[in-house]
Amino acid sequence: MSEKISTVADVLTAWFGGAGTTMIGALIGRAMWHVQEVRRAHRRPLGPELFWELPIAIGMALIGEGLAGWLGLGQPVSTGLIAALAYLGPRGAEALFMKWWMGRKPQ
């Protein structure tokens, strides 16, 4: 039985399953943020602070998966959302949520 694989998320899902793809997306999002911090000379490329990125990646993966489910998003959109939220981290996601919430018009 041959399945059509058309995106990177499809390949990752075939190799690692949905949960693995979710975690890979979250880890890549945090890695992108870490690279930016290294470029700005705010962090060392390899250091103990990388250990603290794991709980953030896991937490943002759980939040992103819940949000993707609530919005009814499928693959690969949900993996992209998770990677973006992981990149933003808790503070960035909070700022984005507050901007969205405060920008809403009263009903």
Side-chain angles (χ1 to χ4, degrees):
M1 171 164 92
S2 175
E3 294 181 29
K4 186 175 181 210
I5 296 178
S6 60
T7 66
V8 174
D10 290 340
V11 172
L12 293 174
T13 300
W15 287 350
F16 303 107
T21 303
T22 297
M23 283 310 305
I24 290 169
L27 290 170
I28 289 172
R30 288 315 294 168
M32 291 187 311
W33 182 83
H34 178 74
V35 166
Q36 292 299 318
E37 291 297 296
V38 170
R39 284 184 176 171
R40 292 181 185 133
H42 294 164
R43 284 187 163 196
R44 297 175 286 173
L46 296 173
E49 50 277 335
L50 282 175
F51 173 75
W52 297 109
E53 293 302 325
L54 289 174
I56 294 172
I58 293 168
M60 296 312 292
L62 293 171
I63 292 167
E65 189 70 25
L67 182 59
W70 183 64
L71 293 171
L73 304 176
Q75 284 288 359
V77 179
S78 64
T79 301
L81 174 68
I82 290 162
L85 285 174
Y87 175 82
L88 292 173
R91 282 187 261 153
E94 178 186 15
L96 186 65
F97 176 75
M98 292 306 291
K99 183 176 176 101
W100 170 77
W101 185 259
M102 295 301 177
R104 292 178 60 190
K105 294 181 177 151
Q107 295 181 4

